[in-house]
Amino acid sequence: MPHRLLASWQRSEDYGVPVETVQPVFTGAYDEQSLFFECGQQVLGELARNLADEPISLMLTDADGLVLNRFSGDHALLRALDAVHLAPGFSYAEREAGTNGLGLALADRVPTVVRAEQHYALSLCSYTCAAVPVLDPVTGRLEGAVNLTTWSQASSDLLLALAHSAASTTSALMLSRASGRTARPAPRGEVFRVEVPRLEPGAGTLRELSQPWTAALHRAEDAVAAGRVVAAVGERGTGRATLLAQAERRHRPASRILAASAPAPADVEAWLDLWTPEVGKPHTAVVVRRVDELPVWAAQRLRDLVTEVPLAVTAERFEDIPAPLAGLVDAVVQVPALRERAEDVVALARHAAMRVRGREIDIDPSAAHALEQHHWPGNVSELVEVVRAAAGHTDRIEVRHLPAELLTGSRRRLSRIEAFERDEIVRVLTRPGVTMRDAAEELGMSRATLYRKVAHLELRVPR
C-alpha cells in the first residue's frame, strides 16, 4: 500500500474510527452563499447532466470535509451512499470517516484516488473515490474539494481526470467572478452535531493540560458521575462544551454525545424538531451550547424533550440561563479563560494544526513565544482560527505566518494608518535574517524612526 495510505490508516486508528462501518458526524447547516459553493454547484451540475447515465456521484465538500451537495442519475448508487451517510450535511473528514478519497485529499492537499479495499472502514470497500482539492485562486486558501464516487468494480481510470477537470473549472470560475464581489455573510452556525461513541483525539480530546483546566474538568466529572445536570460557564471560546463532553465521555465511554448550539432565531423550530428522534435512542447524553441565547419558550420546549437523558449546558453566566433550564442545573463549573492558563497555548496550537493538516506541524520557538504572550480575548476559538490560517500555508509555523495584531502589546484601537504601518513593519521584521537597518531601508525610514514606531505600537517581534 502507498505510504500516504498507510499514514492515513495510522491516523484513522489514532482517531478511533471504527473499522466495520463509518459513523460520520452530521451538521445541519453550511454556507450556501459562498463563491466556492456557487461556482462548484454550477460546474458539478453541468458535468452531472453529461454523466446522467453513468454510475457516478459528484459531490462538493468544504475544507472540513462536510458534503455540501451531491449529483447522480444512478438511484441505486444514491441509495447505497445514503446507507453510509455519504450525503449532504455529513462530514467525511478523515478523522470522522477514516481513510477515504475526499478526506485524504483534504488532509494531504493533493489529488487522491482511494479504491475499494484501500478504505479504512469496511462499509466503504464497495466504492472507489477520486477527489481534488480546490484552492481560492486569489488567496490560495483551501476552500474544499471535488469528489467523484463510483462502485468499486467500475473502471476508475477517468475518475481522477474528471475530478481534476471539475476542480480546475471551479477555480477558474471563482477567479472570473471574484472581482468586485461583496463579503459573504457569516454562516448561520451549527444547528446540530452528533459525536459518535468513541474517543476522538482529532476532535478536541486533549488530556494533558494545565492545572486550572484539569481542576475544572475534575469538578465536571464528579458532577456527571453523581447524576447532576452540569452548567459550564465562562467566556466564549474557552472550551466549555469540550470540557463537558470530556467529562461525559470519561463517565460514559460507550455513550453517544449529542451536542447542539443555539440556532439563529429563524431556525429554532427546525432545531427543536431534530431532537425528538435522537433523544429517545439508548446510551445518549446531551450537551447544549450557549443556552443563554435561547428564547424562554424554546428553553421550555427543550426542557420537556430532554428530561429523560443526561444533560449538560453552557453559558457565559449562570444568571443568563433561561429559567426553565436553570431550574434543572445542579452544579456549575467555571471554565478558565485561556489568558489564565498560558501554558496550554502551545499544546492547543499544535493540536489545532494537526486537525487542519492531519499530521504534526512544527511551531518554531519564536512563534510559540508570540502565541504565549498574546492576551487571547477570543480564547481558544481565536487561537484555533489563527493556527488554522497559518497551518494552511506551511508545515512549520513561524512568526511571519502569524497576524500582526498578535505582536502588538497595546490594546488600544489603532487608526487605519497605524494598522497599515504596523502590518508593514511586522511583515518586514519577521522575515528571516532581516536586521533593523535592512527593515528601515525597505520601509523608507531611518532606523531611529523605525525604533520609535516599534515602541509607539508596542510591537513584540521575536528576533
Side-chain angles (χ1 to χ4, degrees):
M1 188 177 286
H3 173 73
R4 285 181 56 232
L5 282 166
L6 287 174
S8 177
W9 274 50
Q10 182 61 60
R11 294 194 297 270
S12 301
E13 183 177 12
D14 293 341
Y15 291 145
V17 177
V19 174
E20 294 79 15
T21 184
V22 79
Q23 295 176 314
V25 167
F26 175 75
T27 301
Y30 46 84
D31 183 9
E32 296 183 355
Q33 299 182 30
S34 71
L35 181 61
F36 167 64
F37 182 87
E38 173 189 306
C39 296
Q41 176 98 337
Q42 178 177 330
V43 170
L44 292 190
E46 293 173 357
L47 181 58
R49 284 190 287 274
N50 294 326
L51 298 173
D53 297 327
E54 299 295 329
I56 296 175
S57 175
L58 300 88
M59 293 164 235
L60 198 69
T61 79
D62 70 7
D64 294 321
L66 178 68
V67 181
L68 304 179
N69 56 20
R70 189 177 68 180
F71 300 90
S72 179
D74 190 314
H75 297 291
L77 178 59
L78 287 175
R79 287 193 297 271
L81 295 179
D82 283 341
V84 293
H85 309 296
L86 186 47
F90 285 88
S91 173
Y92 251 72
E94 193 179 63
R95 63 178 175 271
E96 312 291 356
T99 304
N100 68 91
L102 74 89
L104 185 52
L106 292 171
D108 285 352
R109 304 292 203 274
V110 295
T112 299
V113 176
V114 174
R115 297 177 175 85
E117 70 283 352
Q118 292 176 335
H119 288 90
Y120 184 80
L122 293 175
S123 61
L124 299 182
C125 290
S126 301
Y127 310 100
T128 290
C129 303
V132 177
V134 178
L135 305 181
D136 186 297
V138 176
T139 66
R141 180 182 63 189
L142 177 68
E143 290 287 347
V146 168
N147 178 66
L148 273 62
T149 298
T150 187
W151 301 110
S152 60
Q153 68 269 24
S155 173
S156 61
D157 293 343
L158 294 179
L159 211 60
L160 188 59
L162 284 171
H164 258 299
S165 175
S168 299
T169 306
T170 299
S171 184
L173 193 58
M174 289 173 66
L175 182 60
S176 69
R177 295 181 180 178
S179 58
R181 189 178 181 88
T182 57
R184 68 185 183 187
R188 296 171 71 85
E190 184 182 66
V191 174
F192 201 70
R193 179 181 173 92
V194 177
E195 294 182 7
V196 296
R198 64 175 187 268
L199 289 175
E200 293 179 301
T205 55
L206 276 178
R207 297 292 182 154
E208 301 300 327
L209 290 177
S210 63
Q211 191 278 332
W213 172 269
T214 303
L217 178 58
H218 287 165
R219 288 194 293 273
E221 285 181 40
D222 292 343
V224 168
R228 299 173 181 170
V229 175
V230 187
V233 300
E235 297 176 14
R236 280 196 178 194
T238 52
R240 300 169 303 189
T242 297
L243 180 133
L244 292 174
Q246 288 186 5
E248 289 282 0
R249 182 68 75 214
R250 291 189 184 190
H251 181 61
R252 302 181 180 91
S255 293
R256 297 188 318 147
I257 298 175
L258 273 59
S261 296
D267 295 332
V268 171
E269 284 287 355
W271 182 78
L272 288 168
D273 290 342
L274 289 168
W275 286 92
T276 304
E278 295 296 336
V279 295
K281 296 178 180 178
H283 308 297
T284 296
V286 171
V287 176
V288 187
R289 305 181 181 102
R290 303 196 297 273
V291 293
D292 44 347
E293 297 178 10
L294 283 176
V296 174
W297 67 268
Q300 176 72 51
R301 286 182 54 187
L302 179 60
R303 184 194 67 179
D304 297 340
L305 288 170
V306 298
T307 51
E308 301 299 323
V309 297
L311 174 67
V313 300
T314 77
E316 291 195 47
R317 303 188 312 158
F318 174 76
E319 295 81 2
D320 297 331
I321 298 176
L325 293 173
L328 300 178
V329 174
D330 303 308
V332 178
V333 176
Q334 182 74 39
V335 181
L338 186 56
R339 61 181 171 276
E340 298 170 7
R341 46 191 182 99
E343 59 267 42
D344 290 342
V345 168
V346 175
L348 290 169
R350 294 186 190 281
H351 189 67
M354 175 176 280
R355 288 190 63 187
V356 173
R357 300 298 298 273
R359 62 171 70 89
E360 294 282 350
I361 298 296
D362 191 24
I363 301 176
D364 94 344
S366 294
H369 180 74
L371 292 172
E372 289 173 333
Q373 293 301 304
H374 187 54
H375 188 63
W376 297 113
N379 291 294
V380 180
S381 296
E382 181 187 0
L383 172 65
V384 169
E385 288 303 310
V386 167
V387 173
R388 281 173 62 92
H393 294 88
T394 181
D395 289 330
R396 176 180 170 83
I397 298 176
E398 301 173 0
V399 175
R400 60 195 174 96
H401 299 120
L402 302 177
E405 54 265 28
L406 257 68
L407 307 176
T408 306
S410 174
R411 295 179 195 169
R412 67 182 178 85
R413 186 177 183 85
L414 301 182
S415 67
R416 293 178 65 183
I417 293 177
E418 287 177 320
F420 175 78
E421 284 189 332
R422 177 201 63 193
D423 292 353
E424 282 299 289
I425 291 171
V426 169
R427 179 184 65 81
V428 175
L429 285 179
T430 54
R431 287 211 306 263
V434 170
T435 65
M436 290 296 280
R437 180 190 294 275
D438 297 334
E441 289 179 358
E442 181 171 341
L443 293 166
M445 62 181 72
S446 68
R447 278 192 294 169
T449 300
L450 178 56
Y451 276 114
R452 281 199 301 272
K453 289 185 178 293
V454 167
H456 174 68
L457 295 169
E458 299 181 38
L459 292 179
R460 302 184 298 249
V461 183
R463 305 305 297 163

